[in-house]
């Protein structure tokens, strides 16, 4: 450029100036161009950097697992997907490119929500509207949920290019939401619906009952003695037990209803449409039966029971609250009836509940008010008929209601926590009394399972024996099978410590419990008390009680235990009891429970060879009747006494054998045919083949013409309690 200027300057100056100006322009232009170039390069670099940065953001976002990107073209086919999205379909991203985005989404409609949302998504995509947080399910096998957001892209001319957006995986979040709602509605221990869900179920069932004009039934199920298990074997065993109970309940209930757990040891079942009492009754019975079967938990054998309260709701005439209240009262009544039972609600239960509450209040003050006393019922040796002991039976003389049965108030005392105090009072009263009796006469005291399981019981007993100076061997504690229900180390230990004290142990009400034989062999009992339900009427030929008693006696003998038959009221039964070899008898036939003064007289009398006690039976001696019997081929004169419609006791010196049949010709009455049931030196018992009409014994010339069988019948002249 310098050479050119010098040449022009030599030619013409203006040209030089022009050129100079032009050059200046060129230079200026060049500089500006260079600047622009530099700025462009810079911009490109910046864009590049931005793109890099954006890419890093994308990668980081995709790698974070918090979401992914997607892009479609104008036709709705995928032009970009993140790796993570492809993973939900177990393929590479490339495999998804070119597919319709909506094809990837599930439209099976199995769950209402997503289907609705998928429609929303379809609408937005075709309308080219932006959308955010639309929940959809991909069309993959897994139960996955996505949340999608997207924006339509347009070019500068407004042409639609496709959608670009992000997606996030909601699966985890959904799962935890579901888990939370499950926890809020289901019991975590058993997996059964909880109180809240059961209430909802009941409400729905009742609503449904109204519209379908069908009833609905509610069961309230409460476990008996569960607390015992929890207290003695610990909560983990208690929990395992509840799980097994839940399974049994559910399997019994089947399709009839929904079982749920209300908490603790309370369960509930809603039975929509089921109102037929026969069905409900059999269901309740099976429930109780199944729950009462023994459980095996971590090497422990556990037995509990169940009580069921049932309330039936009529369509349209019942609300959930009142149905629950009714079932509650029915459950209450079932428990009061001795547990292991079911009860249907009855209107009278409302007043019963109120009465029970009053009894409970009064019971709390019973000791301070001195309203309790102890009655004593003799226990008699079967062979010699001498008194060998007394059972102490608690009595409550209520100031306004009069005598209240222990069957009624003992369970209340057990439930309201009073049994410990009351039981201790009985024990001390009984020992104080026994101290007055001849030393060979024992005193039996009932011990509630709650007392047995109280760790302080040994000290209480030892203290009382010492205070009243009664030999431990004279005290017999009557326990029911209830003490085994939470069988564990504590139970074994209590047994060992009681034996160590030297007291005797009797198993009460035998035959009414569950697993008697097993426990019998294990626990150190000295005696079995055969329950009244087997004894009473055992002599009548139409039941198997005799066989059962025989089995119990055989078992007891093999274990070196005594037996007492409870509730013997008639001579027939006494005969049979004798024949079966039961060692002792307790029943009205030998005396009802009496106050201590009378008991003392009986105790003293037996000391002088049972004469005093025998005297209470004197009227029967006086009514002895002569008869002729064909025995061993010979006619013998015999004396009949204690005759009843079923049989008689016979005084006779001739030896007879049980099973032998004979005809007895009662003087002035006529012949009666019977079979020998038992035989002892000088006497035997005979059971008549046909019922004997006692009226035949009445004097022929009875002035009123009325037959008067009573002098011959049993239970006359008995002491009243
Ligand atoms: P249990 O231990 O089975 O007592 C025997 C019950 O049978 C007594 O009823 C007695 O009066 C009755 N009995 C005896 N012989 C006959 C008979 O020949 N015929 C009939 N029909 N009944 C007979 P009670 O005195 O009403 O006692 C009922 C239950 O109350 C007792 O049954 C026992 O489980 C409980 N009980 C009584 N006193 C106490 C106590 O001090 N502590 C505890 N924990 N329970 C007690
Ligand atoms: Ca008893
Ligand atoms: Ca008993």
């Amino acid at each position: 450029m310098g050479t050119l200027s010098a040449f022009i300057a030599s030619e013409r100056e203006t040209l030089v100036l022009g050129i100079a100006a032009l050059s200046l322009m060129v230079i200026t232009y060049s500089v500006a161009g260079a600047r622009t170039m530099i700025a462009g390069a810079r911009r490109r670099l910046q864009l590049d950097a931005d793109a890099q940065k954006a890419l890093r953001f994308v990668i980081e976002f995709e790698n974070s697992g918090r979401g992914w990107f997607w892009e479609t073209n104008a036709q709705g086919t995928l032009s970009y997907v993140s790796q993570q999205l492809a993973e939900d379909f177990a393929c590479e991203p490339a495999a998804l490119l070119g597919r319709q985005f909506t094809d990837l989404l599930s439209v099976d409609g199995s769950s209402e929500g997503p289907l609705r949302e998928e429609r929303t998504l379809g609408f937005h995509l075709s309308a080219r509207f932006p959308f955010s947080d639309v929940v959809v399910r991909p069309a993959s096998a897994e139960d996955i949920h996505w949340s999608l957001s997207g924006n339509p892209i347009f070019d500068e001319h407004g042409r639609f290019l496709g959608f670009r957006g992000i997606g996030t995986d909601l699966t985890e979040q959904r799962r935890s939401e579901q888990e939370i709602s499950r926890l809020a509605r289901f019991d975590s221990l058993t997996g059964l619906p909880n109180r809240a869900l059961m209430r909802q179920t009941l409400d729905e069932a009742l609503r449904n009952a109204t519209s379908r004009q069908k009833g609905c039934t509610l069961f309230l199920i409460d476990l008996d003695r569960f607390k015992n298990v929890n207290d003695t074997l610990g909560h983990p065993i208690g929990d395992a037990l509840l799980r097994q109970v839940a399974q049994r309940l559910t399997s019994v209930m089947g399709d009839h209803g929904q079982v749920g757990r209300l908490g603790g040891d309370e369960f509930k079942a809603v039975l929509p449409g089921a109102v037929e009492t026969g069905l409900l009754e059999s269901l309740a019975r099976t429930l109780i039966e199944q729950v009462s079967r023994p459980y095996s938990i971590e090497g422990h054998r556990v037995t509990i029971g169940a009580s069921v309260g049932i309330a039936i709701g009529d369509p349209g005439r019942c609300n959930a609250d009142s149905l629950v209240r009714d079932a509650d009262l029915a459950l209450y009544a079932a428990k009061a009836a001795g547990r292991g039972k079911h009860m249907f609600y009855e209107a009278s239960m409302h007043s019963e509940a109120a009465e029970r509450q009053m009894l409970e209040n009064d019971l709390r003050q019973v000791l301070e008010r001195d309203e309790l006393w102890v009655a004593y019922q003799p226990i008699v040796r079967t062979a010699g008929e001498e008194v060998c002991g007394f059972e102490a039976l608690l009595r409550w003389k209520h100031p306004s209601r009069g005598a209240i049965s222990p069957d009624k108030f003992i369970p209340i005392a057990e439930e309201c926590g009073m049994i410990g105090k009351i039981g201790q009072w009985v024990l001390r009263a009984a020992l104080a009394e026994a101290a007055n009796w001849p030393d060979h006469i024992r005193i039996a005291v009932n011990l509630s399972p709650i007392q047995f399981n109280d760790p302080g019981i040994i000290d209480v007993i030892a203290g009382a024996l010492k205070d009243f100076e009664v030999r431990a061997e004279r005290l017999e504690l009557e326990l029911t099978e209830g003490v085994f229900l939470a069988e564990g180390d504590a139970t074994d230990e209590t047994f060992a410590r009681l034996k160590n004290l030297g007291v005797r142990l009797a198993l009460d009400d035998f035959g009414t419990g569950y697993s008697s034989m097993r426990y019998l062999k294990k626990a150190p009992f000295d005696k079995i008390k055969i329950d009244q339900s087997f004894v009473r009427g055992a002599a009548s030929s139409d039941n198997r009680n005799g066989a059962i008693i025989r089995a119990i006696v055989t078992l007891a003998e093999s274990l070196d235990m005594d037996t007492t038959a409870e509730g013997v009221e008639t001579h027939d039964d006494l005969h049979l009891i004798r024949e079966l070899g039961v060692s002792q008898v307790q029943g009205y036939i030998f005396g009802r429970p009496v106050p201590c003064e009378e008991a003392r007289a009986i105790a003293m009398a037996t000391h002088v060879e049972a004469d005093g006690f025998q005297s209470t039976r004197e009227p029967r001696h006086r009514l002895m009747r002569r008869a002729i019997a064909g025995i061993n081929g010979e006619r013998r004169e015999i004396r009949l006494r204690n005759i009843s419609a079923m049989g008689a006791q016979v005084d006779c010196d001739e030896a007879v054998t049980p099973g032998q049949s004979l005809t007895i010709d009662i003087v002035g009455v006529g012949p009666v045919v019977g079979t020998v049931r038992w035989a002892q030196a000088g006497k035997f018992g005979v059971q008549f083949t046909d019922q004997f009409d006692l009226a035949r014994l009445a004097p022929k010339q009875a002035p009123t013409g009325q037959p008067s069988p009573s002098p011959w019948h049993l239970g006359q002249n008995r002491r009243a309690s």
Side-chain angles (χ1 to χ4, degrees):
M1 199 172 285
T3 320
L4 181 67
S5 307
F7 168 74
I8 291 170
S10 66
E11 295 288 327
R12 251 184 292 170
E13 241 189 8
T14 40
L15 184 67
V16 169
L17 278 170
I19 290 173
L22 185 69
S23 302
L24 204 68
M25 271 172 65
V26 170
I27 291 165
T28 309
Y29 181 79
S30 306
V31 170
R35 277 217 189 105
T36 316
M37 264 166 60
I38 292 168
R42 279 221 187 98
R43 228 180 7 250
R44 266 199 307 280
L45 276 174
Q46 183 62 44
L47 277 176
D48 244 18
D50 285 352
Q52 288 290 334
K53 205 190 255 175
L55 194 63
R56 273 203 306 279
F57 280 140
V58 169
I59 293 170
E60 265 174 39
F61 181 73
E62 289 183 334
N63 287 349
S64 74
R66 260 174 285 148
W68 32 261
F69 294 100
W70 58 275
E71 188 186 62
T72 59
N73 61 18
Q75 287 72 45
T77 62
L78 284 165
S79 50
Y80 178 84
V81 290
S82 295
Q83 175 74 31
Q84 199 195 337
L85 183 149
E87 275 168 12
D88 283 345
F89 291 93
C91 66
E92 286 301 313
L96 296 175
L97 299 182
R99 289 181 61 182
Q100 279 286 327
F101 187 33
T102 46
D103 284 356
L104 300 188
L105 305 177
S106 159
V107 283
D108 63 358
S110 62
S111 44
E112 241 174 55
L115 178 62
R116 215 185 50 235
E117 302 249 4
E118 270 140 23
R119 289 217 194 92
T120 313
L121 180 66
F123 164 74
H124 279 83
L125 290 174
S126 56
R128 299 167 185 180
F129 279 1
F131 56 87
S132 63
D133 299 327
V134 175
V135 179
V136 292
R137 275 179 0 117
S140 72
E142 315 278 322
D143 185 25
I144 295 173
H145 289 87
W146 289 341
S147 168
L148 295 180
S149 302
N151 277 312
I153 339 162
F154 299 97
D155 71 4
E156 61 269 38
H157 307 293
R159 264 179 312 187
F160 175 64
L161 299 180
F163 263 93
R164 197 177 287 146
I166 56 168
T168 48
D169 192 333
L170 285 184
T171 313
E172 276 311 307
Q173 189 192 332
R174 281 256 153 163
R175 269 195 202 131
S176 54
E177 273 169 19
Q178 275 171 0
E179 183 64 10
I180 288 165
S181 99
R182 209 183 62 77
L183 286 178
R185 293 178 310 136
F186 290 86
D187 168 44
S188 57
L189 180 66
T190 60
L192 290 179
N194 66 8
R195 184 184 287 272
L197 182 53
M198 283 311 281
R199 177 55 195 244
Q200 206 179 321
T201 308
L202 179 63
D203 285 337
E204 274 162 24
L206 286 175
R207 252 198 311 278
N208 202 269
T210 310
S211 59
R212 289 172 54 209
Q213 284 301 301
K214 280 187 116 180
C216 166
T217 295
L218 180 63
F219 276 25
L220 283 185
I221 305 150
D222 190 282
L223 305 184
D224 299 336
R225 296 166 303 257
F226 171 74
K227 196 179 165 299
N228 216 347
V229 176
N230 238 1
D231 290 351
T232 53
L233 298 180
H235 290 261
I237 303 256
D239 285 354
L241 176 61
L242 287 174
R243 277 193 287 265
Q244 293 196 25
V245 168
Q247 281 167 4
R248 292 189 190 180
L249 290 176
T250 320
S251 86
V252 172
M253 195 51 71
D255 293 338
H256 293 294
Q258 174 66 60
V259 179
R261 176 170 174 233
L262 301 183
D265 60 350
E266 275 180 65
F267 295 81
K268 174 173 174 176
V270 174
L271 295 83
V275 291
E276 203 246 307
T277 44
L279 167 74
L280 297 173
E281 196 149 349
S282 99
L283 270 175
R285 216 171 270 141
T286 318
L287 276 182
I288 294 169
E289 243 168 56
Q290 289 302 312
V291 171
S292 308
R293 267 177 35 229
Y295 300 78
S296 161
I297 301 167
E298 289 177 30
H300 296 275
R301 193 180 146 97
V302 181
T303 319
I304 52 164
S307 305
V308 181
I310 306 170
I312 304 175
D314 294 331
R317 268 192 303 154
C318 185
N319 67 41
D321 283 330
S322 70
L323 200 61
V324 169
R325 207 184 48 228
D326 292 353
D328 237 337
L329 286 171
L331 173 62
Y332 198 80
K335 290 209 250 174
R339 292 155 196 278
K341 300 212 163 60
H342 70 273
M343 286 276 195
F344 286 89
Y345 165 75
E346 286 164 24
S348 65
M349 286 173 180
H350 281 285
S351 51
E352 280 168 26
E355 186 194 288
R356 200 205 100 102
Q357 191 55 52
M358 274 162 67
L359 278 187
E360 183 180 321
N361 295 342
D362 292 346
L363 202 54
R364 291 187 188 280
Q365 307 169 48
V366 82
L367 289 174
E368 289 76 30
R369 295 187 179 172
D370 200 17
E371 290 165 2
L372 296 179
W373 63 280
V374 180
Y376 299 89
Q377 185 179 26
I379 302 172
V380 176
R381 238 185 273 286
T382 318
E385 299 194 352
E386 74 263 7
V387 174
C388 54
F390 290 87
E391 176 173 4
L393 292 160
L394 185 56
R395 298 288 177 262
W396 179 10
K397 191 163 171 295
H398 191 280
S400 57
R401 292 151 191 255
I404 298 174
S405 160
D407 281 331
K408 188 162 187 174
F409 72 81
I410 296 276
I412 301 180
E414 288 177 334
E415 252 163 61
C416 74
M418 284 291 293
I419 193 66
K421 270 195 199 159
I422 291 179
Q424 182 171 352
W425 182 88
V426 176
L427 176 76
R428 295 184 66 86
L431 285 176
E433 190 51 39
N436 300 319
W437 303 337
D439 189 64
H440 68 277
I441 294 190
R442 294 204 170 104
I443 174 72
V445 177
N446 293 286
L447 210 60
S448 145
I450 295 173
Q451 290 176 272
F452 179 88
N453 286 318
D454 180 347
I457 190 66
I458 306 292
D459 291 340
V460 166
I461 296 169
L465 287 169
K466 188 158 164 277
D467 289 350
F468 301 106
E469 297 179 1
V470 173
R471 283 187 302 115
E473 211 269 332
R474 289 182 64 198
L475 174 62
E476 193 161 74
L477 298 173
E478 297 198 356
L479 305 169
T480 57
E481 282 164 303
V483 302
F484 295 111
L485 295 174
E487 197 192 3
D489 297 345
T491 313
D492 292 347
E493 196 187 310
T494 309
F495 271 117
R497 292 173 69 199
L498 285 172
K499 278 280 61 156
N500 224 13
L501 270 185
V503 297
R504 281 166 55 91
L505 301 175
L507 181 53
D508 204 354
D509 303 341
F510 187 82
T512 58
Y514 324 81
S515 348
S516 323
M517 300 295 170
R518 207 178 79 82
Y519 296 135
L520 248 193
K521 289 186 180 149
K522 216 178 133 201
F525 285 109
D526 302 281
K527 175 192 270 192
I528 300 173
K529 297 192 80 172
I530 306 168
D531 190 69
Q532 322 199 352
S533 55
F534 293 104
V535 174
R536 205 162 308 138
S540 59
S541 49
D542 58 352
N543 68 51
R544 296 173 52 237
N545 288 351
I548 293 170
I549 296 172
R550 192 190 303 278
I552 296 174
V553 170
T554 311
L555 179 77
E557 280 172 355
S558 74
L559 295 168
D560 206 18
M561 295 176 188
D562 287 340
T563 40
T564 298
E566 290 189 289
V568 178
E569 290 183 3
T570 70
H571 278 267
D572 289 340
D573 291 338
L574 179 62
H575 294 169
L576 181 64
I577 290 303
R578 246 199 202 103
E579 187 209 1
L580 295 172
V582 180
S583 48
Q584 296 166 6
V585 169
Q586 176 183 351
Y588 292 176
I589 193 159
F590 286 121
R592 291 176 180 250
V594 292
C596 58
E597 302 78 25
E598 282 183 57
R600 219 174 292 171
I602 298 170
M604 295 304 174
T606 46
H607 196 55
V608 273
E609 275 322 304
D611 267 357
F613 189 66
Q614 284 285 353
S615 73
T616 62
R617 304 179 64 203
E618 232 157 56
R620 302 195 293 257
H621 287 254
R622 266 192 279 118
L623 291 165
M624 200 172 281
R625 202 77 175 233
R626 274 180 57 241
I628 305 293
I631 297 173
N632 304 332
E634 288 189 45
R635 287 173 65 80
R636 294 274 173 185
E637 181 169 325
I638 58 170
R639 281 156 183 275
L640 286 184
R641 53 159 131 170
N642 304 338
I643 192 166
S644 74
M646 311 299 298
Q649 182 179 317
V650 178
D651 283 356
C652 165
D653 293 332
E654 192 73 22
V656 294
T657 44
Q660 181 176 345
S661 58
L662 39 76
T663 303
I664 297 169
D665 197 351
I666 306 173
V667 175
V669 173
V672 194
V673 182
T675 310
V676 176
R677 297 296 304 262
W678 58 271
Q680 275 183 356
K683 53 186 174 184
F684 66 85
V686 63
Q687 185 181 357
F688 300 144
T689 307
D690 298 319
Q691 279 232 343
F692 176 71
D693 180 6
L694 291 167
R696 291 169 65 190
L697 296 168
K700 291 263 159 28
Q701 65 280 40
T704 59
Q706 292 292 316
S708 56
S710 52
W712 281 91
H713 201 42
L714 313 165
Q716 294 304 303
N717 232 7
R718 211 56 27 84
R719 292 163 203 272
S721 62

mmCIF file of all heavy atoms in Angstrom, residues 144 245 266 444 559:
data_model
loop_
_atom_site.group_PDB
_atom_site.id
_atom_site.type_symbol
_atom_site.label_atom_id
_atom_site.label_comp_id
_atom_site.label_asym_id
_atom_site.label_seq_id
_atom_site.Cartn_x
_atom_site.Cartn_y
_atom_site.Cartn_z
ATOM 1 N N ILE A 144 -44.828 -49.141 37.455
ATOM 2 C CA ILE A 144 -44.040 -47.901 37.516
ATOM 3 C C ILE A 144 -44.955 -46.713 37.243
ATOM 4 O O ILE A 144 -45.909 -46.817 36.469
ATOM 5 C CB ILE A 144 -42.910 -47.955 36.462
ATOM 6 C CG1 ILE A 144 -41.932 -49.075 36.818
ATOM 7 C CG2 ILE A 144 -42.187 -46.620 36.343
ATOM 8 C CD1 ILE A 144 -40.884 -49.329 35.767
ATOM 9 N N VAL A 245 -53.666 -66.174 65.969
ATOM 10 C CA VAL A 245 -55.105 -66.010 66.221
ATOM 11 C C VAL A 245 -55.755 -65.352 65.001
ATOM 12 O O VAL A 245 -56.801 -65.793 64.526
ATOM 13 C CB VAL A 245 -55.350 -65.161 67.487
ATOM 14 C CG1 VAL A 245 -56.809 -64.744 67.580
ATOM 15 C CG2 VAL A 245 -54.932 -65.922 68.736
ATOM 16 N N GLU A 266 -58.429 -57.626 71.122
ATOM 17 C CA GLU A 266 -59.810 -57.477 70.652
ATOM 18 C C GLU A 266 -59.871 -57.526 69.131
ATOM 19 O O GLU A 266 -59.128 -56.813 68.454
ATOM 20 C CB GLU A 266 -60.359 -56.117 71.073
ATOM 21 C CG GLU A 266 -60.936 -56.064 72.448
ATOM 22 C CD GLU A 266 -61.428 -54.658 72.728
ATOM 23 O OE1 GLU A 266 -62.375 -54.201 72.065
ATOM 24 O OE2 GLU A 266 -60.824 -54.006 73.590
ATOM 25 N N ALA A 444 -59.641 -76.927 102.199
ATOM 26 C CA ALA A 444 -59.372 -76.645 100.779
ATOM 27 C C ALA A 444 -59.767 -75.203 100.480
ATOM 28 O O ALA A 444 -60.840 -74.752 100.865
ATOM 29 C CB ALA A 444 -60.174 -77.607 99.901
ATOM 30 N N LEU A 559 -51.300 -92.086 88.672
ATOM 31 C CA LEU A 559 -50.441 -90.952 89.022
ATOM 32 C C LEU A 559 -50.377 -90.745 90.535
ATOM 33 O O LEU A 559 -49.857 -89.745 91.003
ATOM 34 C CB LEU A 559 -50.962 -89.681 88.347
ATOM 35 C CG LEU A 559 -50.917 -89.671 86.816
ATOM 36 C CD1 LEU A 559 -51.721 -88.496 86.270
ATOM 37 C CD2 LEU A 559 -49.478 -89.603 86.329
#
